[in-house]
């Protein structure tokens, strides 16, 4: 039992120790400054005067390295504080993020009546900072600092008493510093009545190993000047600067300072020396820099007792060790004052420039004036009016304090009837709905905010219309157009070329089953991105290639165009170019109509069979009529509207006219009596028997048959065998006895499937008998006639002789001749 109890107690102690260690090491976020602030606090949010008062008055080591975030503008006119953020013992080492908000009318009261109370040496919103960062903070109105029992050395600043190893950036102070020393207050310890020196600045009393950049100091003239009454309390020196009283080994760059300083020597007993400057009172250390600054001070000095005072537009005094040459350079200042009150230890000729006109006040070309100055390449090429500064209300301002930057969005239109792009707004329920009048206005786009412009393509026009149109460019409020150079893969972001910082604008998509939502994201909004945007829509251009292709009789085997010589054409009917082997349209856009035609030469053996769309899954025949009954192509003309019906394509494409070999193959067999055969559809005459040619299967093919001399051709016999002729005529060549026959053939009559477009034509001739039988028969007739005549003569002679013999000798001879006839 005792062992169990002992074990339980030890376990409980270990558990509690572990929990304590865990809680101690776990960072937390303190949103209520009334809560106890621990050393490990990460962020303290301040959003009211009470929050700020509680934080400053309760400042302790536990808050020294916190991040302080302002969440609202804070007016401290009804609240005062009795402490600073950071002291000599516990300097502030954390981050103070003003987030563009303003602290106004700050009252710091150190007029404690206790004799043993000594005022801290460093006074301001921050007393002492070391390794801290302060940015995006604005202080306005009048900052009242009231003290008594002052120490021997006092550093006073509207923002920081003493800044060491600190960065101050994007801050805007337009507050007047009202410093009051109740040196004669009753009951004050005599030893602490006076101070030997005071270092005072509009930003910082003492700037040591620190940087101030991209900031403004220009107190409102309505609040008067920052006044310093120098009396016997000041035993030695007064160093007063528009930005900092004392600068040691520190940098001030891209600063606009327009201080209003009033210094009065109020007592003859004042024994010190006064240094006054528009930027610094005194500057020392070789690495100290004042670069790319503009200063326009208003300095009023009332030297009643002729004391030593050094005053300059930039600084009062440059002390040893002086900054290196050119470390104070490219500073524009009002020439009504000298640059420096005392340059004993410094060469003033180091690119410090004076101008006679008012610099800070707005004038024509002011922005161009500053942007064109490449003052020092080591510390920034030019004034950044795109992201940091802005000329507004006749002043150079910081964009961080301009509040909201309104962004309005419209769209360009490619069609009078259709809104290709629909801008989307968010309703009270958080749903995306079409923006009124297709215009979008975003008024909550503050400095460095992120703005999202959402839109979609109008699905009512066509489900794939987003493929036919794209965002081509953005026109900014200045009228400058930023084109969309490419669509980045992976993050689906449009990248805008010619944009100084194009990564600030990106584009993404969200796809669902019904539609795609496009989002243009503008990150880090500045004045350069504010104003009217126009989403410029452009119709995507597609390439349509139109050509013809040749196929064999089976309609599936494609014939190599390079082997087969033919005369087929594809052309734009509007242009009328009828001699192209193919035709390409490079800028085909959605909803535009086109007419492409194809033709074949009259001698061509190929027959048009339709238009086909080439696809990876096989060629698709295009319909010859759309849903409404109108022709997509009529005969061989292809008329279509890109993006509709068969041409709802979202990529480049190839369409071809299909031609099929529908010729008739004729083989010619003939004997030696044929000289040549000429076919009108064939370029060469046929002179060799057994030759096969292709003949276009048409209704009128002229065939001429040329015979050799002394040969004949039985036309009727040929016609009885071949029944495809329409007419025939016989002609005789001039200058010879040869003949030729002309036949008009109708090849379309050969429709018998067994014919298969193959025809054999045989021609037989006979040798013609050219002997001249007239002469022969004349000779023969003459011979026969001559012989007959001779015979007749002989007979007559014989008879006559016989008769004469019988009658001349007596009665006996007559009787004998008479008996010969009977």
């Amino acid at each position: 039992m005792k062992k169990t109890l002992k074990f339980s107690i030890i376990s409980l102690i270990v558990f509690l120790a572990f929990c304590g260690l865990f809680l101690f090491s776990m960072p937390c976020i303190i949103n209520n400054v009334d809560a106890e602030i621990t050393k490990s606090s990460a962020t303290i949010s301040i959003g009211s005067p009470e929050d700020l008062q509680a934080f400053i008055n309760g400042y302790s080591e536990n808050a020294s390295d916190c991040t302080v975030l302002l969440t609202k503008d804070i007016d401290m006119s009804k609240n005062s504080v009795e402490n600073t953020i950071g002291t000599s013992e516990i300097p502030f080492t954390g981050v103070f993020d003003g987030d563009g908000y303003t602290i106004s009318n700050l009252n710091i009261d150190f007029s404690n009546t206790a004799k043993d109370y000594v005022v801290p040496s460093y006074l301001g919103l921050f007393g002492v900072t070391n390794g801290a960062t302060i940015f995006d903070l604005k202080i306005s109105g009048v900052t009242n600092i009231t003290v008594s029992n002052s120490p021997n050395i006092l550093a006073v600043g509207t923002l920081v008493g003493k800044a060491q190893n600190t960065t101050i950036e994007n801050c805007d102070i337009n507050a007047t510093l009202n410093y009051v020393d109740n040196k004669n207050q009753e009951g004050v310890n005599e030893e602490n009545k006076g101070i030997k020196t005071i270092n005072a600045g509009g930003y910082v009393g003492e700037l040591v190993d620190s940087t101030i950049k991209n900031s403004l100091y220009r107190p409102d003239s309505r609040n008067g000047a920052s006044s310093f009454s120098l009396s016997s309390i000041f035993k030695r020196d007064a160093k007063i600067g528009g930005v900092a009283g004392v600068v040691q080994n520190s940098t001030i760059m891209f600063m606009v300072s327009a201080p209003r300083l009033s210094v009065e020597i109020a007592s003859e007993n004042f024994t010190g020396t006064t240094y006054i400057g528009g930027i610094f009172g005194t500057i020392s250390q070789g690495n100290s820099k004042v670069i790319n600054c503009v200063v326009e001070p208003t300095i009023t000095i009332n030297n009643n007792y002729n004391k030593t005072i050094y005053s300059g537009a930039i600084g009062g005094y440059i002390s040893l060790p002086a900054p290196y040459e050119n470390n104070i350079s490219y500073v524009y200042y009002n020439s009504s004052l000298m640059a420096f009150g005392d340059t004993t230890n410094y060469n003033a000729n180091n690119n410090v420039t004076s101008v006679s006109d008012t610099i800070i006040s707005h004038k024509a070309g002011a922005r161009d004036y500053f942007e064109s100055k490449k003052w020092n390449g080591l510390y920034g090429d030019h004034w950044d009016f795109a992201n940091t500064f802005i000329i507004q209300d006749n002043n150079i301002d910081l964009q961080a304090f301009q509040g909201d930057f309104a962004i309005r969005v419209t769209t360009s239109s490619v069609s009078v009837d259709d809104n290709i792009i629909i801008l989307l707004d968010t309703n009270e329920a958080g749903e995306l709905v079409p923006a009124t009048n297709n215009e979008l206005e975003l008024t909550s786009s503050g400095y460095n905010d992120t703005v999202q412009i959402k839109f979609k393509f109008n699905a009512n026009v066509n489900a794939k219309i987003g493929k036919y149109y794209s965002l081509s460019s953005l026109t900014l409020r200045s009228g400058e157009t930023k084109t969309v150079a490419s669509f980045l893969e992976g993050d689906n972001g449009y990248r805008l070329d010619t944009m100084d910082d194009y990564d600030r604008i990106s584009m993404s998509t969200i796809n669902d089953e019904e539609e795609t939502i496009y989002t243009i994201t503008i990150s880090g909004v500045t004045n350069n991105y504010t104003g009217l945007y126009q989403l410029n829509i452009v119709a995507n251009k597609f390439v349509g290639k139109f050509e013809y292709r040749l196929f064999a009789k089976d309609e599936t085997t494609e014939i190599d165009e390079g082997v087969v010589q033919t005369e087929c054409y594809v052309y734009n009917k509007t242009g009328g170019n009828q001699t192209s082997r193919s035709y390409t349209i490079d800028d085909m856009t959605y909803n535009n109509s086109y007419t492409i035609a194809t033709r074949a030469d009259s001698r061509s053996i190929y027959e048009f069979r339709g238009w086909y769309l080439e696809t990876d899954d096989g060629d698709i025949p295009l319909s010859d009529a759309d849903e409404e009954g109108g022709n997509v192509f009529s005969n061989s003309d292809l008329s279509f509207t890109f993006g509709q019906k068969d041409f709802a394509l979202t990529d480049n494409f190839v369409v071809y006219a299909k031609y099929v070999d529908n010729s008739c193959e004729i083989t010619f067999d003939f004997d030696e009596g044929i000289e040549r055969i000429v076919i009108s559809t064939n370029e060469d005459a046929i002179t060799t028997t057994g030759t096969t040619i292709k003949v276009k299967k048409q209704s009128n093919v002229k065939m001429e048959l040329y015979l050799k001399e002394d040969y004949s051709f039985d036309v009727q016999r040929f016609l009885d065998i071949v029944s495809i002729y329409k007419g025939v005529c016989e002609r005789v060549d001039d200058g010879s006895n040869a003949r030729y026959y002309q036949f008009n053939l109708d090849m379309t009559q050969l429709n018998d499937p067994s014919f298969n477009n193959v025809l054999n034509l045989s021609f037989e001739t006979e040798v013609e008998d050219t002997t001249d039988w007239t002469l022969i028969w004349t000779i023969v007739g003459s011979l026969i006639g001559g012989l007959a005549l001779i015979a007749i003569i002989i007979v007559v002679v014989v008879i006559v002789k016989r008769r004469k013999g019988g009658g001349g000798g007596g009665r006996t001879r007559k009787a004998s001749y008479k008996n010969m006839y009977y």
Side-chain angles (χ1 to χ4, degrees):
M1 181 65 181
K2 291 183 179 180
K3 291 184 179 180
T4 304
L5 179 60
K6 184 178 181 180
F7 177 78
S8 300
I9 293 173
I10 294 174
S11 300
L12 179 61
I13 293 173
V14 172
F15 175 76
L16 292 176
F18 174 78
C19 290
L21 179 63
F22 176 78
L23 292 173
F24 180 81
S25 62
M26 182 182 66
C28 61
I29 296 177
I30 306 297
N31 291 315
N32 183 355
V33 295
D34 291 330
E36 183 179 355
I37 300 175
T38 64
K39 180 66 176 177
S40 59
S41 297
T43 300
I44 301 172
S45 296
I46 296 178
S48 70
E50 292 73 23
D51 286 347
L52 183 59
Q53 182 182 43
F55 175 71
I56 295 176
N57 288 337
Y59 177 80
S60 65
E61 184 179 1
N62 290 334
S64 62
D65 62 350
C66 289
T67 294
V68 180
L69 175 65
L70 288 189
T71 60
K72 290 182 180 180
D73 290 332
I74 297 174
D75 184 356
M76 296 293 291
S77 59
K78 296 181 180 180
N79 300 75
S80 65
V81 296
E82 299 172 353
N83 200 358
T84 60
I85 304 173
T87 63
S88 298
E89 295 78 14
I90 310 173
F92 181 75
T93 60
V95 175
F96 195 99
D97 181 1
D99 200 23
Y101 291 107
T102 301
I103 297 174
S104 59
N105 303 313
L106 181 63
N107 293 298
I108 304 174
D109 188 359
F110 284 96
S111 58
N112 195 298
T113 58
K115 288 186 178 183
D116 57 351
Y117 177 79
V118 178
V119 174
S121 296
Y122 307 104
L123 302 177
L125 174 64
F126 294 85
V128 178
T129 61
N130 193 340
T133 300
I134 303 170
F135 65 98
D136 287 355
L137 175 62
K138 184 173 184 178
I139 298 178
S140 68
V142 177
T143 296
N144 293 303
I145 299 179
T146 306
V147 301
S148 63
N149 279 359
S150 305
N152 290 335
I153 297 176
L154 183 66
V156 179
T158 305
L159 183 61
V160 185
K162 181 178 180 179
Q164 189 164 1
N165 295 314
T166 296
T167 298
I168 300 170
E169 185 174 2
N170 284 358
C171 289
D172 183 357
I173 297 179
N174 60 4
T176 297
L177 178 61
N178 185 13
Y179 167 76
V180 177
D181 194 320
N182 295 324
K183 56 185 179 301
N184 295 320
Q185 182 176 343
E186 183 180 354
V188 173
N189 189 322
E190 293 296 326
E191 295 180 0
N192 296 321
K193 267 191 174 182
I195 61 174
K196 293 181 180 181
T197 186
I198 180 171
N199 301 325
Y203 264 70
V204 180
E206 295 180 10
L207 189 69
V208 181
D209 300 326
S210 298
T211 298
I212 300 177
K213 61 181 179 179
N214 291 347
S215 296
L216 302 175
Y217 179 61
R218 33 74 186 282
D220 193 330
S221 61
R222 293 172 297 180
N223 294 325
S226 296
S227 300
F228 298 89
S229 179
L230 305 178
S231 62
S232 59
I233 190 174
F234 296 98
K235 302 297 185 182
R236 198 168 80 184
D237 298 327
K239 302 170 184 177
I240 302 169
V243 177
V246 173
V247 176
Q248 295 179 0
N249 200 36
S250 297
T251 297
I252 300 174
M253 61 185 296
F254 285 107
M255 185 83 195
V256 177
S257 178
R260 299 175 60 82
L261 302 175
S262 178
V263 178
E264 179 185 10
I265 306 298
S267 172
E268 186 178 3
N269 295 326
F270 172 71
T271 59
T273 302
T274 303
Y275 305 96
I276 307 171
I279 294 179
F280 57 81
T282 65
I283 189 170
S284 62
Q285 305 298 322
N287 285 325
S288 290
K289 302 179 182 67
V290 178
I291 305 290
N292 289 11
C293 293
V294 174
V295 58
E296 189 177 28
T298 300
I299 299 176
T300 302
I301 301 174
N302 189 359
N303 192 354
N304 297 316
Y305 300 100
N306 196 25
K307 300 297 182 178
T308 302
I309 298 177
Y310 295 102
S311 65
I314 298 174
Y317 177 67
I318 300 175
S319 58
L320 289 175
Y324 302 133
E325 188 166 347
N326 292 320
N327 270 11
I328 301 178
S329 58
Y330 303 97
V331 180
Y332 281 63
Y333 66 96
N334 192 314
S335 62
S336 62
L337 293 172
M338 294 179 61
F340 307 101
D342 183 359
T343 58
T344 304
N345 302 308
Y346 190 72
N347 180 6
N349 270 334
N350 42 35
N351 299 323
V352 176
T353 306
S354 66
V355 295
S356 59
D357 58 345
T358 300
I359 301 170
I360 298 175
S361 298
H362 180 272
K363 61 181 181 294
R367 173 170 175 163
D368 293 338
Y369 173 78
F370 285 104
E371 285 192 325
S372 65
K373 303 298 180 184
K374 286 197 172 182
W375 291 348
N376 192 320
L378 295 176
Y379 302 104
D381 290 338
H382 56 77
W383 289 78
D384 184 1
F385 285 93
N387 300 303
T388 302
F389 297 99
I390 181 176
I391 294 180
Q392 183 169 293
D393 299 330
N394 296 329
N395 286 294
I396 296 179
D397 294 328
L398 287 170
Q399 293 191 45
F401 308 113
Q402 294 307 303
D404 292 339
F405 292 119
I407 292 180
R408 293 187 300 114
V409 189
T410 62
T411 64
S412 64
S413 179
V414 295
S415 172
V416 177
D417 301 326
D418 301 324
N419 286 324
I420 303 302
I421 290 293
I422 298 178
L423 291 170
L424 301 175
D425 201 354
T426 304
N427 61 17
E428 294 180 356
E431 301 168 332
L432 289 176
V433 295
T436 305
N437 297 326
N438 214 30
E439 264 193 37
L440 190 62
E441 184 162 358
L442 307 171
T443 56
S444 60
S445 49
Y447 178 78
N448 263 338
D449 278 355
T450 296
V451 174
Q452 290 188 331
I453 302 169
K454 295 182 181 293
F455 64 92
K456 65 180 179 179
F457 287 94
N458 191 347
N460 294 329
V461 178
N462 188 291
K464 296 181 180 179
I465 199 168
K467 300 294 184 179
Y468 296 115
Y469 294 92
S470 63
L471 177 68
S472 64
S473 61
L474 293 180
T475 300
L476 303 182
R477 57 154 178 97
S478 61
E480 185 180 4
T481 298
K482 306 295 186 181
T483 61
V484 176
S486 61
F487 189 78
L488 299 181
E489 296 181 357
D491 61 354
N492 291 326
Y494 272 105
R495 174 163 290 183
L496 306 180
D497 63 5
T498 73
M499 187 72 74
D500 292 338
D501 188 7
Y502 52 74
D503 285 332
R504 284 193 172 193
I505 296 185
S506 62
M507 185 172 181
S508 59
T509 59
I510 299 176
N511 299 300
D512 56 29
E513 296 180 356
E514 298 181 356
E515 59 189 1
T516 300
I517 303 297
Y518 296 80
T519 302
I520 295 179
T521 301
I522 306 174
S523 59
V525 171
T526 65
N527 185 66
N528 194 44
Y529 296 91
T530 189
L532 176 65
Y533 279 71
Q534 178 171 289
L535 302 180
N536 299 316
I537 311 305
V538 65
N540 294 335
K541 294 182 178 181
F542 295 84
V543 176
K545 185 177 182 182
F546 304 86
E547 58 186 28
Y548 73 84
R549 295 184 183 177
L550 308 177
F551 290 82
K553 290 183 174 66
D554 60 9
E555 298 194 21
T556 59
T557 305
E558 189 171 349
I559 302 172
D560 187 355
E561 180 184 354
V563 175
V564 179
Q565 298 298 320
T566 185
E567 296 295 337
C568 297
Y569 312 118
V570 176
Y571 58 95
N572 181 354
K573 192 169 185 181
T574 303
N577 182 5
Q578 299 188 27
T579 60
S580 300
R581 297 282 180 172
S582 64
Y583 183 78
T584 300
I585 301 178
D586 295 322
D587 55 353
M588 186 168 293
T589 55
Y590 176 77
N591 222 28
N592 281 334
S593 298
Y594 306 88
T595 299
I596 305 297
T598 182
R599 298 288 184 270
D601 187 90
S602 59
R603 295 174 298 175
S604 175
I605 63 173
Y606 294 97
E607 182 179 82
F608 175 71
R609 292 292 175 85
W611 292 95
Y612 286 77
L613 174 65
E614 183 182 84
T615 69
D616 294 336
D617 298 328
D619 299 346
I620 300 174
L622 299 177
S623 60
D624 58 0
D626 60 22
E627 296 177 0
E628 286 75 28
N631 290 331
V632 172
F633 65 84
S634 176
N635 296 324
S636 56
D637 292 350
L638 177 65
S639 297
F640 63 93
T641 300
F642 182 69
Q644 306 295 333
K645 305 297 187 302
D646 292 326
F647 285 87
L649 307 172
T650 57
D651 204 349
N652 301 333
F653 61 90
V654 175
V655 168
Y656 63 88
K658 186 174 185 178
Y659 282 90
V660 174
D661 183 353
N662 194 36
S663 63
C664 176
E665 295 182 1
I666 302 179
T667 302
F668 296 90
D669 293 323
F670 51 85
D671 53 24
E672 68 278 2
I674 303 298
E675 179 180 276
R676 66 184 184 277
I677 299 174
V678 177
I679 300 295
S680 59
T681 59
N682 193 48
E683 294 180 356
D684 301 322
I686 300 164
T687 58
T688 303
T689 185
T691 299
T692 299
I693 66 170
K694 291 185 176 183
V695 177
K696 183 179 180 180
K697 193 174 179 181
Q698 59 188 27
S699 61
N700 186 20
V701 178
K702 183 171 72 173
M703 181 179 69
E704 294 179 335
L705 182 71
Y706 289 83
L707 301 180
K708 293 181 180 178
E709 192 173 355
D710 298 333
Y711 282 85
S712 62
F713 177 66
D714 191 341
V715 176
Q716 188 58 48
R717 181 186 175 192
F718 176 74
L719 296 179
D720 290 341
I721 297 174
V722 181
S723 61
I724 59 175
Y725 69 92
K726 293 173 63 176
V728 62
C729 65
E730 179 183 356
R731 297 181 183 178
V732 179
D733 282 341
D734 296 336
S736 70
N737 291 325
R739 294 188 298 275
Y740 79 89
Y741 296 88
Q742 177 177 310
F743 300 90
N744 290 325
L745 306 181
D746 184 1
M747 307 302 294
T748 61
Q749 295 186 24
L750 300 173
N751 293 323
D752 189 341
S754 62
F755 166 63
N756 197 27
N757 289 341
V758 176
L759 180 65
N760 292 317
L761 291 182
S762 298
F763 304 91
E764 295 180 358
T765 61
E766 296 178 351
V767 178
E768 189 174 24
D769 187 2
T770 57
T771 305
D772 191 354
W773 291 101
T774 302
L775 178 61
I776 295 175
W777 285 110
T778 300
I779 294 173
V780 172
S782 298
L783 291 174
I784 295 174
L787 292 175
L789 180 59
I790 292 172
I792 291 173
I793 293 173
I794 293 174
V795 172
V796 172
V797 171
V798 171
I799 293 174
V800 172
K801 285 182 176 184
R802 286 182 177 178
R803 291 182 69 175
K804 286 180 176 182
R811 290 179 60 128
T812 305
R813 282 190 177 270
K814 287 186 176 180
S816 298
Y817 176 75
K818 184 178 180 179
N819 289 334
M820 290 180 67
Y821 284 91
Y822 294 95

